[in-house]
Each structure stands twice: as C-alpha cells, then as structure tokens.
Amino acid sequence: MKRLKLPQWLVLLMPAIIILSAVVLIPLLLSLYSSFTSYRLTRPDSLFNWVGLFNYEKAVTDVKFWAAFGRTVLLLAVALNLEMLFGLGLALMISKVTRGQRALRTMMMFPMMFSPILVGFQFKFIFNDNVGLVNNALQSLGITDTAIPWLVDGNLAMFSIIFAEVWTSTSVFGILILAGLYAIPRDPLEAAKVDGCTPFQSFRFVTLPFLMPFIYIAMAIRSLDVARAYDIVQIMTNGGPARRTELLWTLIGRTGYVDARMGYANAMGYVSIFLAIFFTIYFFKKLTAARKELGMGV
Amino acid sequence: MAQVHLRDVVKKYGVLEVVHSINLDIADGEFVVLVGPSGCGKSTTLRMIAGLEAISGGDVRIGDTVVNDLPPRERNISMVFQNYALYPHMSVRENLGFSLKISKRPQEEIDKAVDEAAEILSLTPLLDRKPGALSGGQRQRVAMGRAIVRHPEVFLFDEPLSNLDAKLRTQMRVEIKKLHQKLKSTIVYVTHDQVEAMTLADRIVIMRDGHIEQVGTPLDVFENPVNTFVGTFIGSPPMNLLDGTVKNGNIQFADGSTITAPPGYDLSDGQAVTFGVRADNIMPVGHALPRGEHIAEVELEVNLTEPLGTETLLFATLAGAEVQAKMLNPRPVQAGERLTFQVMLDRCHLFDAETGVALKV
C-alpha cells in the first residue's frame, strides 16, 4: 500500500492549521451556517433546517434590534468622548505632579483591575433607589426627599450605566494619553512659549496634535470594548427597564441563550460585527492620518 | 532693537548654584557669543534671558524693562533651538507664520512676513513641505525664519549649528553673519565651538563653571587671554602651557632647560609661572613667519605631524611636555627628526603658576 505523502510545507503547517480550525475556523463557519438555519438550542435537529436569509431579514426589520444597535452607538459615542475628556484631564494633571507620580499612576489604574461584573454589582448597589449610596447621600443632604429611581427610569438607567462604564475605563485613556505626554519633545513646547503662546494655546496647537495618535489608539481599543459591552449592563439593569438599556450583546445573549434561538442570535451577531469593524477602521484611519500629520510615517 | 543687561544674575537648582552672579551688558545691535565647555552655564543664562528658566537672583533687563517675571511671550525675543524645535504637524509656511497667527495679525501681514523671511533664507520652494521632509540645514533655516518673521528686539541662538555636519555648519555660519548684517538686531548666541564664537561675535563672553571668565572682541580674547583657561579654550590648536620658574630673566622648566622670558613682564627670581605659547608662535626656521623683535631658538624632536595643506602641525617635546607647533610652506617631516624652532617671545604669555591668572604686561 502506498503511503500518502504530503508535501513538507503542509506537514509543517499542520499543527497550526489543526489548532486554528478547532478553535476559530470551525466554530466561525458553524455559527455562520447556523445563522441561515432556524437553529434552536432546545431542538438540536433544527440545525439542519435551512431557512436561507430569513434570520437576517428578520433582524434588519426588527425595531428592537435597531433600537439596541442605536443604543450601543449612543453608549459608544457618549462613553468614549467622556472617557477621552476625563482621561486627558487626568493625564494632564498627573503629568504636572512632581512628587508621588508613580503612586498616582498606579492608583489611576485601580478601576481597571476590577472585574466588570463586580463593577456592575457595585454600581447596582450605589444607584439602588432604596439602600443605594447616591440616594442616601442626596436625601441626607436634603437635596431631594424622594428616592430617585436611578436604575428604573429609562434615561437615568442609561446614565447610570454610562457612569459605571466611564468610571471603569477612563484610566485606559488616562494611561495612554500620559504615555503620549511623556513622549512629547520639550523643544517645540518651549518654541511655542517663545512664539507667544499662552499655556492654553501651547496645549491647543502643540500638545494636542502630538497627543492625537495616542487618543486614537485608545479610541480604537475602547470602541471594540464598548461595542461588545455586556457584563455591566447585564448586572445593573439586565437590559431593562422595558428594554430601555438593551444593548446589542444583551439582546443577542438573551435571544441565543434565554430564548434559545441560536440561529437568529447568530444572524444578529454577524450584523453587529460590522459596527465593531466600522469603528476600528474609522479610528485606525484617523490614527494613520494623525501620525502622518506629525511626520511619523505610516 | 534693544540692549540686554544682566545684573548679578544667579541661577540655582535647589541648593546647587549653577550661575554665580554674572554681569553683562549687551549693546543694541551687538552680536554677543557666550562660549564655554559643557555645563558652564551658558545655555542656562540664555534660557534665563528667554524666560524659559526662572531667574533665582539679580535682574535681567531687555531695553528698559526688567523682564524677570515676564513670560517669554512678553519679552519680545525669539529663539532658535539646537534641535530646531519645529512644529512637526505644520508646514514650513505655518511654522513661519505661527507666532504672528497667535498674536492675531491680519492674514495679509502674515503672508507678507512669511514670504519675506522665506525669501531671505531661500525657503520659498519649500513653503508647503512639512519639517519631516526637510534636510537638517533646511530645518535650521526654517527655525531661523521663524525667529525673524516677528522682528523681535533680541534674537537668542542656543547652539543652533551643533546638529549640522561640518560643511553645512560653515555655510550656515556665514548665513547667520549675513543675516545679522542685514537685520542689525541684537543677537545672543550660545555655542561650545570656539571657532563659531571667533567668527561670529562682535564680542565673546567666555564662561566656565557659572562664572564669566573674560569678555572681549574675538581678537582681544585671542591675544590677551586673562588666564590659562581662556588661553587654551580660545584658539585652535590650544595654547601650549609649560610650568617653570623665573631665573635670571629666563624661564627654567622642570627638566632644567631654559628659554628667555617674554619681554615686558615684571618678574622676580624664583617666581613660579606658566609659560604659554600658541602653535602660531613656535615655528621651524625657514618655515616661520617671525613676528616681533624678540625671538628665541630651541631645537626640538618632532614626534608626530598633521599635514593640513597650507601648514603642518608638528607635535614636539619641549621640556618634557608635548607642544604643538606650526610649519608654514610645509615640507615632509619624519617623526624623530630634530628641527630648530623659532619662538616669537613678544607673543608669548606668562601666567601665575598657581592661579593661572595672566601676569599683566
């Protein structure tokens, strides 16, 4: 019997191919395939029930889906911008500190060290309308005598989630912008002083352009993070009240695992991926442009 | 246009004092070069004039104003930095016009000033490029252009040529000098390169360890150094220094050899002195340009030669120490050859052996 003789390069690549297929390729293809079926976790045989583009049609015509999509974009826009501003402020202040800067830098990173689930629980407590910290403080200070329903009112719930999100992740911007501040050459800043810039003008015309690449890197990283936001929301409001804080992945998670409609969830997942891809491409384009602006090469 | 006055100016970093109470008056339109080895406080002094370093003591006046507490933007100065300090994200045009834009001048005025500066420095074809796309010399010219568009009262240059290669440096030196002749503005220029100092300055200020050692015209500090430090720092090659004692109107060196003492000094027997002679004033017979009436002859063995074309530097041993001599209209000299040298005594210097201070003629 003649033994099958594979070419050497293929043999050498085999381990990588096998591992990649097992952990990435096959699950990916399977999920893509299942998005064209009426696959339900509770009825395994439905995996072979081909429904064509039905799930996709359903997703793109579903108001709930687009509402969650819009809410995710809103969260992205608001949270990222706030985090950027706070992070910038934080970094600028820390960069001016002359003593204990290392300690401050470490402390700034603390919020990132907690699991988002725990952060979710913590803020669920803080914003609780009966025993929560915020309401207790407001009532004790006499600012209000009624309990504000932070997590029950639709708008306030979204605010609370953004608050928690910003609290956890501002330091990502802070630390990256701080790195940017350290990397700024001193000479152009001095030249700006001599050229007549006020401190604000120096910041606006010299410091900020130098920081832009760092800001866009942070934006790119964080946009991927926020686009898949799930844990904090799941814990704090579970998408409620009445789906007012439903984001893409809480919706998809619920559809797939609670309603067991995995085929449909996968279809929504594939549509949502475009959001993440879009933001990534957008911020990397900006990053490249900002680097080019500084003559840093592409 | 304005004068600059430094009165007892001190710079301290904590307890460490790096500039010790210096006084300096710079006239309107004067080109003054601060020169000295690294760490002598020359850049710090310049940065205090610019307002980039706080003044720890004394006064800095520009024109009639004490500027100690004014920020740089209110001092009406402009500065050219060693590393050019261009704004990398702005084109050459924007770099040049930035200071005028900040002070909210009308666009036509900015354009006119920028075009004028670009014309003076032949930057016109480069106006739309970013600094990243320029060579070192071009960047340096942009940095200078940025300084001149504002027509400041005082120009400050902080080692502007030290990042350029030797050839470009010579070229830019000429351009800076031409620029000064054209603009006739006050310039304070910092360098560690004594050739730059000599060629550019109306007056040289030689600094060491936070003190001003000597102030004078280039020829003055070259010909009449106040101490051994200035003697060796100014002039290339550095002045040869030999320790000896006075004996019967001669200087006797450590190895017992003697040379006639330079004329015009009031010396007493047994006095310890340092004898200083520049390479230009110790030359082999037949290849020399005798200057002055008092000439001594010594025979020395040549250890090494450095041919420079129009002249050759000879390294020889005199009284146990290595001295550098010059040979005009050079002929090939072998190491080990013994030649008779003429020492132009009128141009030699005597310093106090202990303090290094020049013994006045």
Side-chain angles (χ1 to χ4, degrees):
Chain A
M1 192 183 134
K2 202 176 152 215
R3 275 185 61 194
L4 184 65
K5 189 106 165 92
L6 290 169
Q8 205 173 17
W9 59 268
L10 189 60
V11 177
L12 289 169
L13 283 175
M14 248 342 180
I17 291 173
I18 290 169
I19 291 169
L20 279 178
S21 314
V23 300
V24 180
L25 204 61
I26 291 172
L28 199 68
L29 288 176
L30 200 65
S31 68
L32 184 64
Y33 163 77
S34 74
S35 70
F36 294 103
T37 66
S38 64
Y39 182 39
R40 279 170 174 271
L41 288 179
T42 45
R43 285 174 34 216
D45 59 320
S46 62
L47 184 58
F48 304 105
N49 184 16
W50 183 266
V51 294
L53 286 172
F54 177 78
N55 284 329
Y56 286 91
E57 278 168 26
K58 197 173 156 196
V60 296
T61 51
D62 185 357
V63 179
K64 273 185 293 193
F65 174 74
W66 287 115
F69 192 97
R71 227 171 268 123
T72 308
V73 174
L74 178 80
L75 177 71
L76 254 168
V78 177
L80 284 194
N81 280 303
L82 283 179
E83 283 169 24
M84 195 272 279
L85 287 177
F86 290 143
L88 183 62
L90 213 56
L92 285 172
M93 283 194 285
I94 288 183
S95 74
K96 296 282 177 207
V97 171
T98 46
R99 288 176 70 176
Q101 204 185 74
R102 282 159 175 272
L104 276 176
R105 243 153 45 199
T106 313
M107 275 158 64
M108 187 174 82
M109 302 291 287
F110 281 170
M112 281 174 69
M113 299 176 191
F114 296 108
S115 152
I117 303 265
L118 291 180
V119 174
F121 277 123
Q122 187 59 34
F123 277 97
K124 191 173 189 175
F125 162 69
I126 288 173
F127 284 118
N128 185 290
D129 40 4
N130 291 318
V131 296
L133 220 57
V134 177
N135 274 351
N136 264 319
L138 289 178
Q139 285 165 3
S140 307
L141 290 168
I143 295 171
T144 173
D145 47 4
T146 55
I148 298 169
W150 291 106
L151 295 173
V152 180
D153 179 274
N155 292 328
L156 284 178
M158 200 63 199
F159 164 84
S160 307
I161 286 169
I162 289 173
F163 190 97
E165 187 67 45
V166 169
W167 181 85
T168 340
S169 301
T170 291
S171 51
V172 178
F173 278 87
I175 212 74
L176 281 166
I177 292 173
L178 198 59
L181 282 172
Y182 289 142
I184 295 181
R186 199 185 59 169
D187 284 1
L189 281 170
E190 293 193 331
K193 272 192 206 168
V194 173
D195 268 347
C197 285
T198 58
F200 176 74
Q201 284 169 323
S202 293
F203 172 77
R204 162 75 187 77
F205 293 112
V206 182
T207 309
L208 200 56
F210 269 107
L211 289 181
M212 282 326 276
F214 294 87
I215 291 177
Y216 286 128
I217 287 173
M219 286 274 192
I221 295 172
R222 288 291 303 148
S223 68
L224 285 177
D225 259 2
V226 179
R228 64 182 169 78
Y230 176 78
D231 19 30
I232 287 185
V233 184
Q234 184 64 30
I235 299 298
M236 283 176 71
T237 63
N238 191 14
R243 292 185 184 273
R244 288 282 177 73
T245 57
E246 187 86 298
L247 299 181
L248 273 178
W249 292 100
T250 55
L251 175 66
I252 293 167
R254 196 187 328 281
T255 312
Y257 298 110
V258 179
D259 305 348
R261 289 185 296 164
M262 197 46 97
Y264 182 39
N266 277 336
M268 288 197 288
Y270 275 97
V271 177
S272 313
I273 286 292
F274 287 109
L275 182 68
I277 293 176
F278 167 79
F279 273 102
T280 313
I281 291 175
Y282 175 77
F283 286 123
F284 267 93
K285 279 225 161 105
K286 289 289 220 183
L287 172 65
T288 313
R291 282 172 60 87
K292 209 171 155 194
E293 180 98 349
L294 286 171
M296 284 162 85
V298 186
Chain B
M1 306 291 154
Q3 315 86 329
V4 178
H5 302 280
L6 276 62
R7 275 291 154 269
D8 301 321
V9 170
V10 174
K11 177 67 196 179
K12 278 186 196 166
Y13 293 107
V15 289
L16 181 71
E17 191 170 298
V18 292
V19 173
H20 314 285
S21 187
I22 59 170
N23 287 288
L24 183 65
D25 294 295
I26 298 166
D28 185 20
E30 196 176 20
F31 196 134
V32 166
V33 176
L34 305 183
V35 67
S38 330
C40 71
K42 56 191 191 298
S43 281
T44 310
T45 306
L46 189 80
R47 291 166 59 80
M48 284 194 283
I49 299 175
L52 295 171
E53 296 280 353
I55 298 163
S56 318
D59 283 333
V60 172
R61 270 195 298 141
I62 297 176
D64 299 321
T65 327
V66 174
V67 295
N68 285 25
D69 300 320
L70 294 182
R73 64 175 183 278
E74 286 167 34
R75 297 189 182 199
N76 202 9
I77 44 140
S78 56
M79 184 153 168
V80 178
F81 293 82
Q82 181 177 357
N83 302 316
Y84 322 126
L86 301 178
Y87 310 118
H89 52 292
M90 299 182 198
S91 67
V92 171
R93 186 188 299 281
E94 289 164 329
N95 262 288
L96 292 177
F98 183 66
S99 59
L100 298 179
K101 185 179 144 198
I102 287 297
S103 55
K104 302 212 166 59
R105 303 283 182 78
Q107 190 60 41
E108 306 127 51
E109 190 191 325
I110 298 177
D111 289 342
K112 192 162 158 276
V114 168
D115 287 341
E116 205 178 280
E119 188 68 35
I120 292 173
L121 295 161
S122 3
L123 288 168
T124 313
L126 308 173
L127 277 176
D128 294 314
R129 292 211 199 157
K130 292 263 177 74
L134 300 178
S135 71
Q138 289 167 337
R139 285 182 208 185
Q140 190 55 60
R141 287 214 299 276
V142 177
M144 275 162 51
R146 197 170 57 179
I148 66 176
V149 287
R150 294 170 51 203
H151 300 293
E153 297 198 335
V154 182
F155 285 99
L156 306 174
F157 286 83
D158 188 6
E159 309 217 15
L161 305 184
S162 48
N163 283 359
L164 302 179
D165 63 56
K167 199 177 162 193
L168 205 52
R169 205 178 306 160
T170 320
Q171 206 178 316
M172 290 302 293
R173 215 161 62 200
V174 177
E175 288 196 29
I176 291 177
K177 194 149 193 177
K178 279 186 186 159
L179 191 70
H180 178 240
Q181 281 169 0
K182 193 177 288 181
L183 301 174
K184 297 187 172 38
S185 40
T186 312
I187 294 183
V188 186
Y189 187 108
V190 162
T191 180
H192 62 266
D193 179 357
Q194 57 91 19
V195 179
E196 257 172 55
M198 292 290 284
T199 49
L200 287 171
D202 291 334
R203 271 197 309 156
I204 294 184
V205 177
I206 299 140
M207 292 185 70
R208 176 175 58 161
D209 297 337
H211 294 284
I212 291 182
E213 297 284 330
Q214 188 171 5
V215 182
T217 63
L219 283 183
D220 187 34
V221 295
F222 182 77
E223 285 176 355
N224 304 305
V226 294
N227 54 30
T228 49
F229 171 76
V230 176
T232 48
F233 193 80
I234 297 291
S236 173
M239 183 184 276
N240 301 302
L241 296 175
L242 298 159
D243 285 330
T245 41
V246 180
K247 202 172 185 186
N248 303 327
N250 292 330
I251 311 291
Q252 186 173 46
F253 299 118
D255 69 340
S257 62
T258 58
I259 196 165
T260 318
Y265 284 91
D266 188 17
L267 301 169
S268 54
D269 260 18
Q271 191 179 351
V273 293
T274 301
F275 176 81
V277 57
R278 292 193 187 279
D280 315 69
N281 298 316
I282 174 163
M283 296 183 173
V285 175
H287 297 272
L289 185 71
R291 282 177 288 201
E293 293 160 12
H294 302 81
I295 290 171
E297 294 201 346
V298 285
E299 197 187 273
L300 304 175
E301 187 179 312
V302 176
N303 306 323
L304 188 79
T305 63
E306 273 189 352
L308 298 170
T310 52
E311 57 193 34
T312 294
L313 278 181
L314 304 175
F315 291 73
T317 313
L318 172 60
E322 185 162 86
V323 294
Q324 295 184 43
K326 241 176 216 178
M327 182 187 216
L328 302 180
N329 307 314
R331 65 167 176 84
V333 175
Q334 301 303 318
E337 216 173 304
R338 290 187 75 82
L339 297 173
T340 305
F341 288 84
Q342 294 182 317
V343 180
M344 295 19 138
L345 290 173
D346 296 283
R347 307 225 163 199
C348 292
H349 304 269
L350 287 181
F351 303 95
D352 187 288
E354 209 168 298
T355 59
V357 176
L359 300 169
K360 271 298 150 210
V361 182

